[in-house]
Amino acid sequence: MDLKANTTLYYDTFAEDFAKSTLPVDMSALYQRFLPLIPPCGNILDAGCGSGRDAKYFQSIGHKVSAFDASSRLASIASNYLNIDVPVLTFQTFNESGLYDGIWCCASLLHVPKVELMDAISRLRKALKRNGILYMSFKHGDEERVKEGRFFCDQTEQTVRPYLEGFEVKDMWVTGDQREGRSSEQWLNIIVEKQE
C-alpha cells in the first residue's frame, strides 16, 4: 500500500473542505516566532502550502513568496488564492539550491515517512541560503500511523534531533491545535538555522 499516494488522494478528494477549514485559522503566534528571523522582503518558500493561507500572509507583509504542494487540487486552490504559479511537487522531487531566506513547512513534512525524512529535510536545507531559516511542525508523538486516510509521521523533541544535522536549533516548542474541536491535539514546532 502506497501511504503517500493515499494521503495525496485524500487531499485531492477533500481539497475544498480542507481549504475552508484551514484558511480562517489564526497562525499569528507561529508567525511571530518565524518572521523576525527573516530579512525584510525576504524570499520565503511555503513547502506543502495547502490552501496557501500562510503564504498569503507572508505576501501581505512584503515577502517574496514561492509555494508547492503534492496535491494538484490544493496547488490549484493556492495558485488562485496567491495569484502565483504553485507547482505540484513532493519533498522527494523538490530540488533547488541556495534560493530561500526561509522555508515554512507547516503540517506538511509530517506526511513524509521516517525512512525518507532525512532526505526531505536535506533537500530543504540545500534550498536555503546561508543562515536560512526552516520552520517545521509535526504531530507530537513517536509513531508512524494512518488516520482517516492520511499517513502521519509523528515526532518528539528527542526523535526529531537526528534529522536536524547541519542546522542550529533556534526554537522548539509544543502547542495545541488551533482548529475548533482539536484543542487536545499537540504539535511539535521547530525552528532551525542552516549552518555551513
Side-chain angles (χ1 to χ4, degrees):
M1 180 169 66
D2 187 343
L3 298 173
K4 289 177 292 177
N6 287 347
T7 301
T8 304
L9 177 62
Y10 173 94
Y11 285 114
D12 282 341
T13 303
F14 299 107
E16 286 75 17
D17 290 341
F18 180 78
K20 284 176 189 170
S21 71
T22 54
L23 280 171
V25 178
D26 180 7
M27 303 297 286
S28 57
L30 298 181
Y31 301 155
Q32 287 165 14
R33 295 199 188 216
F34 174 72
L35 289 170
L37 303 172
I38 307 299
C41 304
N43 195 358
I44 298 176
L45 171 67
D46 191 344
C49 65
S51 61
R53 172 198 61 208
D54 302 328
K56 186 73 167 182
Y57 180 76
F58 302 150
Q59 272 186 338
S60 76
I61 59 170
H63 290 291
K64 181 183 175 188
V65 170
S66 303
F68 71 78
D69 201 89
S71 162
S72 59
R73 297 283 297 279
L74 282 174
S76 176
I77 289 169
S79 291
N80 292 330
Y81 189 50
L82 299 169
N83 200 29
I84 62 172
D85 178 45
V86 176
V88 178
L89 287 173
T90 66
F91 289 106
Q92 295 81 3
T93 57
F94 172 69
N95 187 25
E96 293 183 344
S97 184
L99 291 180
Y100 301 105
D101 298 294
I103 299 179
W104 179 262
C105 295
C106 185
S108 53
L109 277 169
L110 53 67
H111 295 308
V112 177
K114 287 180 183 178
V115 70
E116 298 177 10
L117 192 55
M118 188 75 78
D119 176 65
I121 293 175
S122 293
R123 287 170 179 269
L124 296 169
R125 182 180 180 278
K126 180 185 168 194
L128 285 166
K129 295 178 183 177
R130 184 176 183 180
N131 303 123
I133 299 295
L134 172 61
Y135 167 79
M136 308 174 264
S137 62
F138 297 88
K139 297 282 184 131
H140 195 264
D142 61 0
E143 62 179 341
E144 291 183 287
R145 60 198 168 86
V146 176
K147 182 180 179 185
E148 296 170 1
R150 289 181 292 170
F151 170 84
F152 291 94
C153 172
D154 302 337
Q155 297 290 338
T156 67
E157 296 89 333
Q158 291 74 39
T159 62
V160 79
R161 290 280 176 181
Y163 302 103
L164 306 182
E165 187 176 333
F167 291 101
E168 177 190 345
V169 177
K170 307 294 285 186
D171 207 350
M172 192 181 299
W173 72 104
V174 176
T175 53
D177 199 299
Q178 298 301 304
R179 290 169 293 179
E180 190 174 329
R182 302 255 193 124
S183 58
S184 64
E185 294 187 29
Q186 297 290 298
W187 289 83
L188 177 66
N189 302 271
I190 306 138
I191 294 177
V192 292
E193 179 181 300
K194 179 178 178 178
Q195 302 296 291
E196 292 305 317

